[in-house]
Amino acid sequence: MALYVQKFGGTSVGSLDRIQNVAKRVGKTRAQGHDVIVVVSAMSGETDRLLGLGKNLSQRPAEREMDVLVASGEQVSAALTCIALNEMGIKAISLLGHQARIETDNVFTKARITRVDDQRVRKALADGFVVVVAGFQGMDSEGNITTLGRGGSDTSAVAIAAATKADVCEIYTDVEGVFTADPNVCPSARKVDRICYEEMLELAALGAKVLQIRSVELAMKYAVPIHVRSTFSDAEGTMVTGEDEALESVVVAGVTSDKKAAKVTVRNVPDQPGVCAGIFEPLAEANVTVDMIIQNVATDGSTDLTFTVSRDDLQRMRDLADGLVKKVGASEVTIDDDVVKVSIVGLGMRSHAGVAAKMFRLLADEGINIEAISTSEIKTSCLIRAKYAELAVRVLHDGFGLGLAR
Ligand code: ADP
Ligand code: ASP
Ligand code: MG
């Protein structure tokens, strides 16, 4: 007998029919004699609908209240899933984040899980229940409801799998696994059978929303094997595991695009010590996540500083802009959110020269201008105009030969 954590995303629980389908799948695993912890997302579109309600009332709704609001989506699907399981004669109990004792910090809307106390979940399993946990939500040390950031149910699932030492964490979604590029953007994208945590971490960080980045971080830390697979078929999906077990060793493993970046330029910044700290410290204090940073060579004692922030943090960035200009003596801050970051990712890039150059050439041949670049050992990212996002993904994917069987 094994312990399965099975997480079902928004599409998988998007209608009552689909919830019945989830119940059947869980029932099948149960019938094989296994214990099952189910983690559910809100029904598809529900989180956006709830966010819209709050934002229609206020430009800056209290984040604590937004978390109370959006957490309701997962509460509904957890209860419905239990009702469907009960109807099939399967004992099931729903637990909200605080009931499953998913403890987090107090950063509302993007809280981090600090600890999972699995006693209640274990007790329910021992009593013969399928435990259905509402994903995406937890509780801070004062008992406030928190949420884990968009896509956070993946992280709920992996955290519970780690805490309960589950044999596998299955992520059921609307595609058949992890592909070499988003299959909804790139028709020649190919499903990979295995991928290592490191590559998956980069893909997730750079826009492959099939897994939330924090879920991959946790899986890597606690060595939780993840199986990403389709909710609509029994086909084997993608195993996300340690590097040794990952079979495919290639230069470029995948291509992503991330529409969540916005470009910020601080103009005419004095070229002197302390200016960068003066700009980035207040951003860090306000929890604004900064990514690519470019500082030009100074002419006449001043320079422009360009960086990208997450669009989720744009309101906070705007709120800080005037203060920054005054503080560092810059002339203005401009914000441009008509950009997208395209990236290539692969462990093999560590030991291959010329990969970035090839990426720049492929983009140039399509007339796509590169506005910022960032690199690490295993990825290269370019910021480009948003309208080229899909073209760039396809060109890079096919240019690096990712669609071909290897
Ligand atoms: P869920 O609601 O099940 O959590 P998501 O919408 O969060 O599903 O994630 C699945 C989606 O991720 C797919 O529909 C696909 O469009 C997108 N995606 C982006 N990049 C990739 C990739 N490399 N492999 C698979 N899916 C990807
Ligand atoms: N419902 C949340 C979202 O849409 C969490 C999730 O689906 O993982 O982001
Ligand atoms: Mg998701």
Side-chain angles (χ1 to χ4, degrees):
M1 190 180 80
L3 172 58
Y4 280 72
V5 172
Q6 299 186 324
K7 178 259 169 177
F8 294 91
T11 315
S12 312
V13 294
S15 66
L16 294 182
D17 282 351
R18 296 221 167 131
I19 289 178
Q20 282 171 328
N21 184 46
V22 165
K24 276 191 207 133
R25 212 171 245 288
V26 173
K28 220 157 119 187
T29 311
R30 199 77 192 102
Q32 291 162 357
H34 304 303
D35 279 340
V36 188
I37 302 170
V38 178
V39 176
V40 285
S41 289
M43 297 171 81
S44 55
E46 182 61 5
T47 306
D48 286 335
R49 189 185 74 84
L50 293 166
L51 286 170
L53 292 179
K55 286 186 180 150
N56 278 344
L57 281 178
S58 163
Q59 259 203 333
R60 288 183 197 76
E63 291 186 330
R64 181 189 184 281
E65 303 315 325
M66 289 305 279
D67 276 0
V68 175
L69 177 65
V70 291
S72 67
E74 273 70 12
Q75 176 165 349
V76 169
S77 43
L80 290 174
T81 304
C82 280
I83 293 170
L85 283 164
N86 291 340
E87 195 57 23
M88 288 171 49
I90 297 171
K91 272 169 64 171
I93 181 172
S94 67
L95 295 177
L96 302 182
H98 69 278
Q99 296 170 317
R101 306 220 59 87
I102 298 175
E103 298 170 16
T104 72
D105 62 20
N106 62 0
V107 183
F108 295 114
T109 78
K110 48 180 174 186
R112 265 180 190 276
I113 296 177
T114 49
R115 183 169 168 261
V116 178
D117 172 357
D118 67 339
Q119 270 191 35
R120 184 156 180 196
V121 170
R122 286 208 162 279
K123 166 91 175 56
L125 289 174
D127 290 342
F129 285 92
V130 168
V131 182
V132 182
V133 179
F136 183 48
Q137 52 178 267
M139 175 191 70
D140 72 8
S141 59
E142 290 174 11
N144 296 303
I145 294 174
T146 53
T147 65
L148 309 177
R150 298 307 305 266
S153 299
D154 299 329
T155 304
S156 309
V158 174
I160 291 167
T164 56
K165 303 194 171 52
D167 295 277
V168 64
C169 181
E170 294 185 325
I171 303 283
Y172 286 91
T173 185
D174 56 5
V175 290
E176 291 211 332
V178 178
F179 283 67
T180 46
D182 184 341
N184 290 316
V185 167
C186 184
S188 57
R190 187 174 59 83
K191 189 193 84 185
V192 296
D193 295 334
R194 282 177 182 270
I195 189 164
C196 68
Y197 294 124
E198 286 86 348
E199 282 174 337
M200 192 62 234
L201 204 57
E202 288 290 351
L203 290 176
L206 296 170
K209 69 169 183 161
V210 63
L211 286 175
Q212 197 200 33
I213 178 169
R214 286 181 182 170
S215 70
V216 189
E217 281 167 4
L218 276 184
M220 187 159 144
K221 185 164 172 196
Y222 295 101
V224 177
I226 299 180
H227 185 183
V228 181
R229 56 190 309 187
S230 169
T231 198
F232 304 119
S233 84
D234 286 327
E236 287 288 306
T238 301
M239 287 306 300
V240 187
T241 57
E243 198 175 327
D244 302 345
E245 298 157 64
L247 293 175
E248 299 189 17
S249 173
V250 290
V251 179
V252 176
V255 179
T256 60
S257 72
D258 181 2
K259 295 192 170 123
K260 292 195 101 181
K263 183 169 102 169
V264 180
T265 304
V266 189
R267 293 198 191 281
N268 299 312
V269 182
D271 186 29
Q272 61 197 39
V275 166
C276 276
I279 291 175
F280 292 113
E281 277 164 0
L283 297 182
E285 274 159 33
N287 259 314
V288 174
T289 312
V290 175
D291 183 25
M292 303 163 135
I293 301 177
I294 305 169
Q295 183 176 339
N296 288 331
V297 176
T299 46
D300 309 330
S302 77
T303 181
D304 291 348
L305 189 73
T306 297
F307 52 93
T308 59
V309 300
S310 164
R311 274 190 218 182
D312 292 342
D313 299 336
L314 217 47
Q315 190 56 48
R316 263 174 286 151
M317 182 63 230
R318 287 201 177 98
D319 292 345
L320 289 170
D322 286 349
L324 287 182
V325 167
K326 287 203 191 85
K327 185 171 171 193
V328 301
S331 63
E332 62 169 342
V333 172
T334 55
I335 297 177
D336 176 355
D337 62 3
D338 194 28
V339 290
V340 68
K341 185 167 67 175
V342 287
S343 309
I344 54 173
V345 172
L347 282 187
M349 288 167 69
R350 282 178 187 156
S351 50
H352 278 76
V355 182
K358 180 167 177 183
M359 177 182 194
F360 304 152
R361 170 55 58 204
L362 287 165
L363 294 176
D365 286 349
E366 294 297 324
I368 300 173
N369 190 36
I370 300 169
E371 301 183 29
I373 298 165
S374 71
T375 60
S376 79
E377 261 196 321
I378 65 165
K379 66 121 202 237
T380 303
S381 301
C382 295
L383 198 70
I384 60 172
R385 285 293 105 195
K387 66 178 177 189
Y388 294 125
E390 303 195 342
L391 172 65
V393 167
R394 288 195 285 266
V395 162
L396 294 173
H397 184 269
D398 295 348
F400 280 102
L402 296 189
L404 311 171
R406 289 180 299 222

